[in-house]
């Protein structure tokens, strides 16, 4: 433990400074009253371009990404680099989609994607399905942020053995829970500044300093190629092979489509001040992808530096690399960057999940006409429950299980695409068709994932997202992203279902939106304001 | 909520300044297709040579696509502002 003392001190000091900022955030851009979801859950819907850039960047590029993507390259090579094309194609795809979601949410004072589905399709059932999908997909994602912190703590030798093993992790999350409860979305927005500055600093140093010590990039790629050539596994290598190219492309595309369906991404977008902020950010956010590409290559640096993961936990390779390469004090800064990097998304995700519960379950089924203060109160308590759930997940269940669940999360959140993303452009689908499509896509997706084995982790089921086309009777060794296939099933069933329900003249829900609501901007009147004028 | 819905469907909601309908349509939007399609064409980049600064083509070209993405979205943003 003593050999890591400098690292631990630097880590702890930075962590405490950031926690202080989290509590202070309640006073930052102080509203007259924090007791509403607009304020607590969306930061007053007032964030400008810079804050939004840091907030969404901190939200999407998580601590888990920073340890898991290099770990993928470390283990499998080129296939792990899918994260780069994924984060390139997502912004042009959502460029025109998110501004429409922002506008309609502005006009109708919507807080969650399920709120939109409720208004657009007039179906509480469909909205409930979207809300539950969002919550279930987000929960393991929060737990994974803890995996990121845990990898750092393990490397510092803090989480050793004995009863107190997980105490540092619990303390970190209690602090996080407390300031999220108090400050809402303002806390991660303020902390995101520090997180990003630390991460950029660490990565810039890492990509200059580490290759120089290892003998240059040619040497690093050479070592990686040699390592993969020596392993018996057929799928690895520093280039793709004939069988995993389709998987690479469909995984990148499927993940790109899923990214902005996640409730926490929507929260970040809805918190921005106007459409211009979102459009500007969609062109500025890829700067983070550049960072991600460089971070991914840390996996190869770890191969070149002959890093061994702690136990079987490959997520420790990046912290181990920092520990071995950097002077102690800078390794401490790097660890703090990862640790704080976990706090920002964990806070936003818990807020997003809490908002889904409040708006689409509590408000719909428990208290139909809550006051703003009641809504904010329910969300605050739910955000605590969600975080406690995430901690229990990590403490009592194998972390591998969270990773599997997160994999499922990506596949299931994709099943809300027809209702949420396509729903922003057309009201053609019948609500019954969309529900049938959701059920079919969900079933197909989970069934496919169940049938993916992973010999490396000795998993018979849920071993990855690469589904072998041979299992469908095709004579090929090619694999495809299960989520992509599930989405295709979903869309086909939604289409056929819509035609069927129309033919049977089954009543459809009312559409509460009008075409001009999708292009409304800051300063345009809101329905709520018109409706409540005089009473507020 | 229902109260609000009825309100909306009555058409009493007006958006923006009268006489100026906003639209997201623009021919510039087609430029967004480029950064979506390029990274999906594995035959373009799934090779070791030519190398750049020691990086195999697979890595440097995909990193270059990030810059294409930033370029295209920035142009569309500026032109449709």
């Amino acid at each position: 433990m003593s050999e890591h003392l400098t690292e631990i001190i630097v880590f702890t000091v930075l962590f405490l400074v950031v926690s202080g900022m989290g509590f202070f955030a309640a006073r930052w851009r102080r509203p007259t009253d924090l007791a509403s979801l607009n304020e607590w859950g969306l930061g007053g819907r007032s964030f400008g371009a810079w804050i939004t850039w840091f907030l969404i960047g901190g939200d999407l590029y998580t601590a888990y990404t920073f340890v898991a993507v290099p770990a993928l390259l470390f283990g499998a090579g080129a296939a792990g680099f899918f994260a780069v094309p994924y984060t390139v194609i997502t912004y042009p795809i959502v460029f025109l989609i998110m501004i429409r979601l922002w506008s309609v949410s502005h006009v109708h004072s919507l807080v969650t994607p399920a709120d939109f589905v409720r208004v657009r399709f007039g179906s509480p059932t469909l909205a409930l399905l979207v809300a539950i999908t969002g919550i279930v997909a987000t929960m393991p994602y929060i737990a994974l942020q803890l995996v990121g912190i845990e990898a750092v703590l393990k490397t510092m030798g803090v989480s050793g053995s004995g009863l107190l093993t997980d105490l540092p992790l619990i303390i970190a999350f209690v602090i996080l829970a407390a300031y999220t409860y108090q400050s809402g979305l303002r806390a991660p927005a303020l902390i995101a500044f520090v997180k990003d500055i630390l991460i950029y600093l660490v990565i810039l140093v890492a990509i200059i300093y580490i290759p120089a010590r290892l003998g240059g990039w040619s040497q690093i790629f050479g070592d990686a190629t040699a390592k993969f050539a020596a392993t018996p596994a057929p799928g690895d290598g520093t280039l793709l092979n004939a069988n995993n190219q389709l998987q690479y492309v469909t995984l990148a595309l499927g993940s790109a489509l899923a990214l902005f369906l996640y409730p926490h991404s929507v929260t970040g977008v809805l918190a921005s001040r106007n459409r211009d902020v979102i459009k500007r950010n969609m062109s500025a956010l890829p700067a983070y992808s550049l960072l991600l590409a460089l971070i991914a290559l840390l996996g190869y640096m770890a191969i070149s530096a002959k890093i061994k993961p702690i136990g079987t936990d490959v997520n420790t390779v990046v912290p181990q690399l920092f520990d071995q390469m950097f002077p102690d004090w800078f390794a401490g800064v790097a660890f703090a960057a990862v640790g704080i990097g976990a706090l920002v998304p964990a806070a936003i995700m818990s807020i997003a999940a809490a908002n889904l519960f409040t708006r689409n379950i509590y408000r719909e089924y428990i208290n139909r006409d809550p006051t703003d203060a009641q809504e904010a109160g329910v969300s605050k308590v739910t955000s605590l429950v969600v975080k406690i759930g995430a901690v229990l997940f990590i403490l009592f269940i194998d972390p591998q299980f969270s990773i599997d669940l997160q994999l499922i999360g990506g596949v299931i959140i994709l099943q809300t695409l027809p209702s949420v993303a396509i729903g922003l452009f057309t009201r053609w689908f019948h609500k019954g068709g969309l529900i049938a499509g959701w059920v079919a896509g969900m079933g197909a997706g989970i069934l496919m994932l169940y049938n993916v084995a992973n010999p490396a982790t000795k998993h018979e089921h849920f071993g990855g997202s690469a589904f072998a086309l041979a299992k469908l009777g095709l004579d090929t060794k090619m694999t495809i992203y299960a989520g992509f296939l599930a989405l295709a099933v979903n869309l086909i069933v939604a289409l056929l279902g819509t035609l069927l329900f129309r033919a049977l003249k089954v009543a459809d829900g009312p559409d509460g939106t009008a075409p001009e609501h999708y292009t409304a901007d800051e300063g345009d009147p809101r329905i709520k304001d018109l409706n409540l004028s005089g009473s507020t | 909520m229902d109260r609000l819905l009825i309100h909306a469907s009555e058409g009493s909601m007006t958006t923006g300044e009268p006489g100026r309908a906003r639209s997201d349509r623009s021919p510039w939007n087609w430029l967004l297709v480029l950064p979506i399609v390029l990274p999906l064409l594995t035959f373009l980049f799934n090779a070791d040579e030519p190398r750049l600064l020691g990086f195999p083509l697979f890595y440097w070209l995909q990193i270059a696509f990030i810059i294409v993405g930033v370029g295209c979205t920035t142009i569309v943003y500026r032109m449709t502002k």
Side-chain angles (χ1 to χ4, degrees):
Chain A
M1 177 132 176
S2 57
E3 58 184 304
H4 294 288
L5 193 61
T6 316
E7 290 172 4
I8 294 169
I9 292 171
V10 173
F11 178 88
T12 312
V13 168
L14 284 170
F15 198 89
L16 289 178
V17 167
V18 161
S19 303
M21 288 178 68
F23 287 107
F24 169 76
R27 297 162 192 250
W28 178 52
R29 302 163 67 94
R30 193 190 182 101
T32 44
D33 185 12
L34 250 181
S36 79
L37 279 193
N38 271 332
E39 289 299 339
W40 183 84
L42 289 178
R45 297 185 195 248
S46 65
F47 292 151
W50 278 102
I51 302 174
T52 303
W53 188 73
F54 280 110
L55 181 71
I56 300 184
D59 188 12
L60 303 185
Y61 300 81
T62 70
Y64 176 68
T65 320
F66 291 150
V67 296
V69 171
L72 269 177
L73 268 85
F74 180 84
F81 209 63
F82 86 94
V84 173
Y86 151 33
T87 53
V88 172
I89 58 189
T90 196
Y91 300 107
I93 288 180
V94 301
F95 190 88
L96 296 171
I97 301 178
M98 296 321 277
I99 45 175
R100 288 176 74 83
L101 181 62
W102 186 91
S103 290
V104 71
S105 302
H106 171 81
V107 171
H108 291 267
S109 297
L110 310 176
V111 180
T112 71
D115 278 351
F116 163 69
V117 170
R118 173 77 175 82
V119 179
R120 177 66 146 167
F121 294 96
S123 166
T125 313
L126 188 58
L128 180 68
L129 291 179
V130 171
I132 290 175
T133 313
I135 294 171
V136 171
T138 306
M139 286 286 290
Y141 219 158
I142 302 172
L144 279 186
Q145 302 310 317
L146 287 160
V147 172
I149 300 185
E150 209 177 23
V152 168
L153 293 174
K154 263 190 201 170
T155 303
M156 289 194 293
V158 178
S159 73
S161 55
L163 274 175
L164 300 177
T165 310
D166 296 305
L167 193 63
L169 199 62
I170 296 172
I171 293 172
F173 242 50
V174 166
I175 296 174
L176 169 71
Y179 65 65
T180 312
Y181 182 89
Q182 195 200 331
S183 309
L185 196 65
R186 283 179 169 77
L190 195 56
I191 292 172
F193 285 101
V194 184
K195 176 224 153 186
D196 283 349
I197 290 164
L198 283 179
I199 296 253
Y200 274 105
L201 177 73
V202 168
I203 297 307
L204 279 178
V205 171
I207 57 157
I208 295 166
Y209 180 74
I210 299 179
R213 280 195 62 180
L214 293 172
W217 286 102
S218 296
Q219 179 71 32
I220 292 170
F221 283 109
D223 289 345
T225 311
K227 179 208 159 180
F228 294 125
T231 61
D236 61 9
T238 48
L239 293 179
L240 299 172
N241 57 51
N243 296 326
N244 64 8
Q245 289 192 26
L246 182 65
Q247 157 74 6
Y248 187 84
V249 165
T250 50
L251 180 58
L253 183 58
S255 307
L257 291 170
L259 185 63
F260 277 88
L261 293 169
Y262 272 106
H264 61 272
S265 320
V266 172
T267 300
V269 167
L270 295 190
S272 46
R273 190 197 303 145
N274 55 32
R275 287 161 68 91
D276 187 72
V277 166
I278 297 168
K279 281 179 122 176
R280 188 184 294 193
N281 263 283
M282 290 304 146
S283 49
L285 276 165
Y288 283 96
S289 304
L290 210 53
L291 190 68
L292 180 65
L294 300 171
I295 289 171
L297 294 174
L298 290 173
Y300 288 166
M301 294 181 206
I303 293 175
S304 193
K306 300 187 175 58
I307 298 291
K308 295 271 174 288
I310 299 176
T312 56
D313 186 359
V314 288
N315 288 324
T316 54
V317 296
V318 167
Q320 289 278 86
L321 178 71
F322 289 162
D323 185 45
Q324 190 172 319
M325 288 285 154
F326 288 148
D328 282 354
W329 69 271
F330 196 72
V333 174
F335 294 162
V338 175
I340 297 163
L343 301 181
V344 174
I348 305 173
M349 287 169 191
S350 65
I351 289 170
N355 288 349
L356 278 170
F357 174 80
T358 307
R359 296 281 299 191
N360 310 105
I361 296 174
Y362 169 77
R363 188 189 167 112
E364 189 76 56
Y365 295 99
I366 299 170
N367 177 1
R368 289 203 70 107
D369 203 11
T371 63
D372 283 352
Q374 277 174 327
E375 275 197 345
V378 172
S379 261
K380 287 168 90 168
V381 173
T382 313
S383 83
L384 290 182
V385 175
V386 165
K387 282 198 215 61
I388 293 168
V391 173
L392 293 179
F393 238 89
I394 292 296
L395 295 190
F396 296 108
I397 301 171
D398 181 3
Q400 183 60 41
F401 192 63
S402 314
I403 297 169
D404 293 350
L405 274 178
Q406 203 266 330
L407 194 73
I408 300 172
V411 172
I412 68 171
I413 200 72
L414 208 44
Q415 306 314 317
T416 63
L417 181 132
S419 322
V420 179
I422 299 180
L424 282 165
F425 290 90
T426 172
R427 183 59 181 73
W428 181 81
F429 284 107
H430 189 284
K431 65 175 183 184
L434 287 171
I435 292 172
W438 182 90
V439 172
M442 207 59 108
I446 291 172
L447 190 68
M448 277 186 275
L449 290 174
Y450 180 80
N451 281 302
V452 176
N454 187 345
T457 53
K458 296 194 179 70
H459 273 50
E460 268 187 64
H461 304 293
F462 299 113
S465 61
F467 182 71
L469 285 173
K471 296 206 169 169
L472 297 176
L474 298 173
D475 182 24
T476 171
K477 283 186 174 164
M478 288 213 280
T479 53
I480 189 169
Y481 176 48
F484 198 74
L485 222 47
L487 179 62
V489 171
N490 183 336
L491 284 170
I492 292 167
V493 172
L495 191 118
L496 295 177
T498 299
L499 295 174
L500 182 71
F501 287 121
R502 290 268 154 74
L504 296 174
K505 300 209 179 338
V506 177
D508 202 350
D511 181 1
T513 66
E516 67 271 19
H517 296 175
Y518 294 88
T519 52
D521 207 348
E522 183 186 19
D524 289 348
R526 298 175 170 191
I527 286 186
K528 196 178 174 190
D529 297 337
L530 291 175
N531 206 38
L532 300 179
S533 54
S535 69
T536 43
Chain B
M1 184 57 81
D2 293 330
R3 196 167 39 125
L4 303 182
L5 295 185
I6 292 160
H7 196 83
S9 56
E10 278 168 357
S12 57
M13 176 68 210
T14 50
T15 306
E17 303 86 320
R20 212 199 91 197
R22 245 188 240 108
S23 170
D24 287 331
R25 289 178 189 276
S26 162
W28 286 103
N29 292 341
W30 287 103
L31 204 52
L32 296 173
V33 174
L34 192 67
I36 297 173
V37 172
L38 271 185
L40 299 176
L41 306 175
T42 50
F43 63 85
L44 286 181
F45 53 81
N46 193 29
D48 188 74
E49 300 284 339
R51 289 199 170 207
L52 183 72
L53 305 171
F55 282 61
L57 178 74
F58 183 84
Y59 299 91
W60 72 256
L61 190 54
Q62 290 193 79
I63 291 172
F65 288 159
I66 301 173
I67 297 155
V68 174
V70 173
C72 290
T73 41
T74 305
I75 292 170
V76 175
Y77 164 65
R78 294 259 167 220
M79 292 301 168
T80 59
K81 212 168 164 179

